[in-house]
């Protein structure tokens, strides 16, 4: 079959169900004999709410989040390849804000003020870089500092300023990194299920030329876009937006009718499911 990359984007900022859907679709695909793999170019997690990731990261000696670790366990593929860019945050300490609760709530609603550790993996060289944003570590709660210290000992990250990491994450360097990882996966697999970031249409602008089909998911529903419609969507992004990587799906969805709308079943855990077969058939028929 022709190799293809299927973009899975979420309609909601949080809890669209992208990872469970992607994992279940992956398992349903491989049950048909297809050589498929999930891929999450950019991922973020909060170590306070995902403390198990600290144990996994320390054991593997590479920063991993919940999703990348789950993909690694299912596929056996390197988490650095399945997720080349990962960002770990920690909660801010309200004591540092005194009585300015509004500022504490404002900063807590943003990601960059809470970013404490990051990891970038290069392919095909397999070089891995870890970074620590010490100025943000100083602003987190004492117990989170203790956890970050554990990660520092295991991962040996390089100190970097918040300004530097922010500029890096917005640079073309990230585009090159995630595209290179995708190219490495396409050498081994026929179907790449590329999971986006939160409700962004694309996790990286550099991936635009590599997308063959788009699936937008919300709880209970999947909006399917065939190859021709996907080309039109990507062309629209290129022609009308300065930075398509940051366009949210809720603004894009009304502009393009989906080729099909499929049901997503309720599941206790991700797994192969017969009700996902129509989506598998949609992917494989083109």
């Amino acid at each position: 079959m022709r190799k293809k990359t299927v973009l899975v984007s979420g309609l909601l900022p949080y809890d669209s169900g992208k990872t469970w859907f992607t994992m279940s679709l992956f398992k349903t695909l491989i049950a048909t004999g297809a050589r498929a793999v999930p891929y999450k170019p950019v991922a973020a997690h909060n170590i306070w709410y995902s403390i198990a990731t600290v144990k996994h990261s320390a054991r593997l000696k590479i920063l991993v989040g919940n999703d990348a670790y789950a993909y690694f366990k299912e596929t056996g593929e390197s988490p650095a390849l399945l997720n080349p860019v990962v960002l770990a945050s920690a909660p801010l300490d309200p004591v540092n804000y005194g009585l300015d609760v509004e500022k504490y709530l404002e900063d807590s609603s943003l990601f960059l003020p809470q970013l404490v550790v990051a990891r970038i993996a290069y392919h095909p060289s397999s070089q891995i870089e870890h970074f620590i944003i010490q100025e943000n570590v100083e602003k987190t709660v004492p117990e989170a500092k203790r956890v970050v210290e554990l990660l520092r000992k295991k991962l040996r990250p390089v100190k970097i300023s918040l300004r530097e990491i922010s500029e890096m994450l917005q640079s073309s360097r990230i585009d090159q990194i995630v595209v290179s990882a995708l190219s490495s996966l396409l050498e081994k697999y026929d179907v790449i299920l590329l999971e986006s970031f939160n409700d962004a249409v694309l996790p990286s602008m550099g991936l635009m030329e590599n997308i063959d089909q788009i699936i937008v998911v919300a709880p209970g529903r999947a909006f399917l876009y065939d190859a021709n419609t996907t080309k039109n969507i990507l062309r629209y992004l290129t022609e009308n937006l300065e930075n398509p990587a940051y366009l949210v799906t809720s603004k894009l969805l009304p502009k393009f009718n989906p080729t099909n709308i499929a049901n997503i079943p309720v599941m206790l855990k991700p797994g192969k499911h017969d009700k996902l077969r129509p989506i598998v058939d949609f992917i494989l028929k083109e």
Side-chain angles (χ1 to χ4, degrees):
M1 64 175 291
R2 183 178 68 87
K3 293 178 179 289
K4 62 179 59 177
T5 301
V6 181
L7 173 66
V8 179
S9 300
L11 184 56
L12 301 174
Y14 306 102
D15 298 326
S16 287
K18 295 188 304 297
T19 301
W20 274 50
F21 171 81
T22 302
M23 182 71 79
S24 300
L25 186 59
F26 156 70
K27 291 186 175 185
T28 309
L29 269 165
I30 61 174
T32 69
R35 294 195 305 161
V37 71
Y39 173 49
K40 189 158 186 170
V42 181
H45 65 282
N46 189 307
I47 60 174
W48 188 263
Y49 305 107
S50 308
I51 197 65
T53 64
V54 177
K55 180 181 70 174
H56 301 323
S57 299
R59 179 171 56 83
L60 296 172
K61 295 185 178 179
I62 177 174
L63 185 66
V64 293
N66 290 313
D67 297 345
Y69 186 75
Y71 288 166
F72 158 66
K73 291 291 288 184
E74 287 295 333
T75 65
E77 192 62 79
S78 165
L81 181 57
L82 297 174
N83 175 210
V85 180
V86 60
L87 312 170
S89 63
L92 296 166
D93 188 347
V95 171
N96 294 335
Y97 289 80
L99 298 177
D100 195 350
V101 176
E102 289 189 5
K103 178 60 175 174
Y104 167 70
L105 294 176
E106 177 186 345
D107 288 352
S108 294
S109 70
L110 303 173
F111 182 76
L112 283 178
Q114 302 177 78
L115 176 60
V116 290
V117 183
R119 186 259 294 160
I120 293 176
Y122 299 86
H123 299 280
S125 68
S126 299
Q127 177 188 355
I128 295 174
E129 292 181 333
H130 286 100
F131 303 97
I132 186 168
I133 302 85
Q134 191 61 39
E135 62 196 270
N136 280 0
V137 175
E138 297 303 323
K139 298 175 183 177
T140 192
V141 293
E143 280 299 298
K145 289 178 183 176
R146 184 179 64 81
V147 173
V148 173
E149 176 61 17
L150 172 63
L151 288 174
R152 187 190 64 78
K153 290 179 178 179
K154 293 292 184 179
L155 306 180
R156 300 183 180 277
V158 175
K159 286 186 179 180
I160 190 172
S161 71
L162 182 59
R163 179 185 59 80
E164 289 172 321
I165 192 70
S166 178
E167 291 176 353
M168 182 188 301
L169 293 174
Q170 298 178 59
S171 70
S172 59
R173 177 182 176 186
I174 298 299
D175 290 336
Q176 296 166 0
I177 288 166
V178 298
V179 170
S180 294
L182 176 61
S183 297
S184 295
L185 287 171
L186 283 169
E187 292 177 0
K188 304 169 66 175
Y189 302 96
D190 294 326
V191 180
I192 312 297
L193 300 177
L194 192 159
E195 182 185 345
S196 190
F197 185 82
N198 290 348
D199 59 344
V201 177
L202 280 165
S204 165
M205 191 190 308
L207 293 164
M208 190 174 298
E209 296 182 0
N210 303 94
I211 305 301
D212 299 295
Q213 294 170 315
I214 296 175
I215 301 176
V216 176
V217 300
R221 291 290 197 178
F223 300 86
L224 315 179
Y225 298 86
D226 63 15
N228 287 332
T229 309
T230 294
K231 288 179 181 178
N232 292 334
I233 291 172
L234 298 177
R235 186 180 302 114
Y236 173 84
L237 295 179
T238 303
E239 295 173 353
N240 293 281
L241 295 169
E242 181 178 350
N243 196 337
Y246 294 103
L247 180 70
V248 295
T249 55
S250 59
K251 294 182 179 179
L252 181 70
L253 198 65
K255 300 182 184 298
F256 296 91
N257 292 324
T259 310
N260 199 356
I261 301 175
N263 293 329
I264 300 175
V266 174
M267 293 176 281
L268 292 175
K269 62 180 181 178
K272 170 182 171 294
H273 206 294
D274 289 341
K275 289 187 177 180
L276 294 177
R277 282 303 300 266
I279 303 177
V280 168
D281 293 339
F282 176 84
I283 292 172
L284 297 180
K285 73 177 183 181
E286 292 195 323

